[in-house]
Amino acid sequence: RAKSAGGNRFEFADPEADARAISRHRLTNALPAALDNGEFFIEYQPLVRLEDGSVGGAEALVRWLHPQQGVVGPDRFIPLAERTGLIVPLGRWVLEQAVRQATEWEGATRVNVNLSPCQLTDPGLVRDTARILEDAGLPPQALCLEITETALVGAEDEVLRPLRTLCEMGVDIALDDFGTGYSNLAGLRRLPVSELKLDRSFTRGIRTSPADPVDVKIVEGVVRLARTLGLSVTVEGVETAAQAERLRKLGCDTAQGWYYARPGPPERLHQLALADAC
Ligand code: C2E
Ligand code: MG
Ligand code: MG
Ligand code: MG
């Protein structure tokens, strides 16, 4: 058995699992040079106000243009970057790019940037963010940092401190993939967040006709909770017009999804925002 093989654990393992492990290992090793060589790029996906369909901003989503493998998605390399600590300089780079980009959009008002839990323990986070905003001349109110609910459930005060400071500076904080982390009410109250981003898994059932009654109840519950706590609700994964309409009626504020636009180059958002201003 693999375990008794001692030093080489992979010796008798499943060849597909081996291939995946080797691929992860290669990607991990290639990450630092990829950052130096400018192989990362950012796509933006519009955030749409359900009330009137206008574009209120966009989420920055990082991709890796790997010289051999083509475009590699964040789900494949962010966990690797988190493990090696490269997420700190990579995350800073994304923030820099996205903030600079946001100053070039006239119609859209803000940009959302994902923050990894590892960045919360980086002592430079607050200072770097303040400097990036100042250098670009972007008001802090135009930046929203998204952090997953799982990363903040049960977080120590030390972890929350930089978020509180950012919040006091005027930066918005959104709880990403909300609903997957089992937050409780008391826990939510102590978090410096102003927005809940309901995970895609809960809006999927709103797409079907009739809509999944349990998912409808969940959305209703989250909207009520958000109202109670004075937070806004963004829904992910909106793929059809009917789904958007239902979610609007259920009281959600903002939507994001393929129905409006897939993530794309920054110029596209400019066009969307301008079209909407007409
Ligand atoms: P997320 O922050 O929850 O981002 C939303 C994901 O849903 C994106 O996947 C987006 O392309 C996808 N999506 C948007 N609309 C739809 C839709 O209508 N249907 C479906 N099926 N999917 C939709 P993506 O771009 O692959 O990003 C995956 C995750 O990677 C993100 O999830 C985020 O957690 C992470 N990520 C992306 N960029 C960064 C970054 O710069 N830093 C960090 N730390 N994480 C990032
Ligand atoms: Mg996000
Ligand atoms: Mg999300
Ligand atoms: Mg997600």
Side-chain angles (χ1 to χ4, degrees):
R1 284 185 328 194
K3 266 190 184 142
S4 57
N8 191 353
R9 292 198 301 118
F10 294 118
E11 202 172 4
F12 298 108
D14 150 22
E16 268 178 38
D18 281 7
R20 280 196 302 271
I22 291 167
S23 157
R24 272 198 305 274
H25 186 70
R26 286 214 181 109
L27 283 181
T28 306
N29 288 340
L31 275 168
L35 186 57
D36 290 340
N37 298 339
E39 291 173 16
F40 294 101
F41 67 100
I42 302 174
E43 288 193 317
Y44 295 87
Q45 188 176 34
L47 292 155
V48 177
R49 297 187 191 98
L50 278 166
E51 182 192 0
D52 59 1
S54 64
V55 177
E59 178 174 6
L61 295 158
V62 69
R63 281 93 179 78
W64 179 2
L65 184 57
H66 189 283
Q68 279 87 43
Q69 301 191 29
V71 177
V72 180
D75 284 333
R76 275 186 67 203
F77 66 81
I78 293 287
L80 307 178
E82 287 176 336
R83 224 170 295 158
T84 60
L86 195 84
I87 190 67
V88 171
L90 175 60
R92 197 186 300 129
W93 179 83
V94 172
L95 185 65
E96 232 155 4
Q97 300 298 307
V99 162
R100 201 177 310 152
Q101 184 57 58
T103 61
E104 287 172 28
W105 290 323
E106 285 153 41
T109 52
R110 46 181 232 159
V111 69
N112 284 33
V113 177
N114 292 284
L115 208 64
S116 152
C118 315
Q119 291 174 270
L120 288 181
T121 51
D122 165 28
L125 176 69
V126 172
R127 191 194 52 216
D128 289 344
T129 307
R131 180 187 52 79
I132 288 168
L133 287 167
E134 198 171 311
D135 287 353
L138 190 77
Q141 290 73 16
L143 174 66
C144 175
L145 294 172
E146 298 189 3
I147 176 125
T148 58
E149 183 191 18
T150 357
L152 290 190
V153 169
E156 302 286 329
D157 269 334
E158 266 137 276
V159 174
L160 297 181
R161 199 171 305 132
L163 282 185
R164 287 219 176 84
T165 312
L166 288 163
C167 204
E168 281 156 18
M169 279 164 51
V171 173
D172 267 330
I173 311 288
L175 216 46
D176 205 354
D177 299 345
F178 184 74
T180 62
Y182 311 105
S183 295
N184 56 42
L185 254 172
L188 265 184
R189 280 180 63 173
R190 61 187 267 274
L191 298 180
V193 298
S194 53
E195 181 182 322
L196 304 179
K197 279 192 91 172
L198 187 62
D199 192 62
R200 202 163 66 223
S201 55
F202 303 106
T203 59
R204 201 173 293 141
I206 310 290
R207 209 159 58 217
T208 55
S209 181
D212 181 328
V214 174
D215 281 342
V216 170
K217 286 271 179 254
I218 289 173
V219 175
E220 281 171 349
V222 169
V223 168
R224 208 173 309 126
L225 172 67
R227 293 288 167 269
T228 308
L229 297 173
L231 311 174
S232 73
V233 177
T234 296
V235 277
E236 303 181 325
V238 176
E239 297 184 1
T240 69
Q243 192 188 8
E245 180 54 17
R246 280 215 77 144
L247 289 163
R248 185 187 67 78
K249 283 193 180 140
L250 286 167
C252 302
D253 304 291
T254 308
Q256 179 178 3
W258 296 348
Y259 168 60
Y260 303 102
R262 300 219 175 200
E267 304 76 50
R268 233 229 352 243
L269 194 94
H270 197 79
Q271 290 155 7
L272 283 171
L274 285 180
D276 178 279
C278 298

